[in-house]
Amino acid sequence: MASDYVTLILLRPLLERLYNDAPRVAVNVIPVDPAAQVELERAQVDLVIMPDALASPALSRFPHLELFTDRYVAAVWNQHREVGETLDRDQLTKLRYVRYDATSGGPAFIDVQLAELGIQPNVALSTLSFTLVPWLLPGTSLLAFVHERLVTSTPVRRELRVLEPPVPLRPVVETMYWHPVFHNDPAHHWLRECVLTLAANL
């Protein structure tokens, strides 16, 4: 269970590893949703990968390990008429904003932080796919906050202006959770080690 962002950044390299080392292993990735805790409690998923800041206290009681950290950067089209080389706080409420609606049902981590800072963006577009966000910016007046690893790895990067956020934002700490029943299972342990190794090399 993982977001499309984690699937692209972390699990795509895992597929390369499996192709070489375990070609008969099949992977089924499902979105993180409100049932994550229930499905983990029932051992219906092998791994849940999500930001630790969004994990419920109950989920945090499962065995877990931090995988990697990313940070938010602001991004606009590189020909945006209202944004220069820097961004200020006032622009965060005036510019047309792309909001990522998390499939978990709650607000995305970035929007939680903006709300804590008293910032209400001018939402012009909502999408359920975080990895699509950079692709939606060229040719528009839209502003988005995206994970730095995502924006630097996308082919559309050359059409974007990436800016430092004008407000303090906490990093995203992607964390892997699993059920204790799997803890000593050799195959599950091997899978966890594969994911950990790949995360360490990001």
Side-chain angles (χ1 to χ4, degrees):
M1 185 175 282
S3 67
D4 57 348
Y5 158 72
V6 169
T7 301
L8 181 64
I9 298 298
L10 179 62
L11 299 188
R12 191 201 58 77
L14 175 64
L15 296 178
E16 291 184 20
R17 170 78 182 270
L18 294 179
Y19 177 76
N20 291 314
D21 296 351
R24 299 185 67 180
V25 170
V27 179
N28 180 27
V29 183
I30 57 177
V32 177
D33 62 32
Q37 177 187 326
V38 173
E39 295 192 39
L40 198 58
E41 286 173 346
R42 295 175 179 172
Q44 293 175 325
V45 291
D46 292 301
L47 297 171
V48 172
I49 302 175
M50 64 184 297
D52 64 347
L54 298 181
S56 67
L59 196 62
S60 299
R61 290 195 290 270
F62 285 90
H64 58 277
L65 286 170
E66 291 183 4
L67 294 177
F68 66 95
T69 299
D70 207 344
R71 71 184 192 108
Y72 287 106
V73 293
V76 296
W77 182 33
N78 59 15
Q79 298 179 47
H80 198 296
R81 296 172 185 169
E82 302 169 61
V83 178
E85 297 304 318
T86 60
L87 196 64
D88 63 50
R89 182 184 174 117
D90 287 344
Q91 289 176 297
L92 299 185
T93 57
K94 295 176 181 176
L95 294 171
R96 293 161 51 80
Y97 179 70
V98 180
R99 182 180 67 197
Y100 165 63
D101 288 327
T103 51
S104 62
F109 186 39
I110 179 61
D111 293 317
V112 170
Q113 295 192 61
L114 293 178
E116 291 172 351
L117 294 166
I119 296 170
Q120 294 186 338
N122 174 24
V123 178
L125 173 68
S126 297
T127 176
L128 290 173
S129 173
F130 199 87
T131 56
L132 277 180
V133 172
W135 295 87
L136 300 173
L137 300 177
T140 76
S141 60
L142 297 170
L143 161 75
F145 283 101
V146 292
H147 297 96
E148 187 173 36
R149 292 181 191 274
L150 175 62
V151 76
T152 56
S153 66
T154 181
V156 80
R157 168 67 181 88
R158 64 186 179 277
E159 298 182 54
L160 302 178
R161 181 176 299 143
V162 178
L163 306 160
E164 286 296 317
V167 293
L169 297 172
R170 299 191 299 280
V172 180
V173 182
E174 294 289 350
T175 303
M176 174 172 66
Y177 302 84
W178 65 93
H179 194 286
V181 71
F182 296 132
H183 192 71
N184 294 317
D185 178 84
H188 198 275
H189 181 267
W190 176 83
L191 176 63
R192 297 197 309 268
E193 287 300 312
C194 286
V195 173
L196 278 170
T197 300
L198 291 168
N201 291 322
L202 287 178

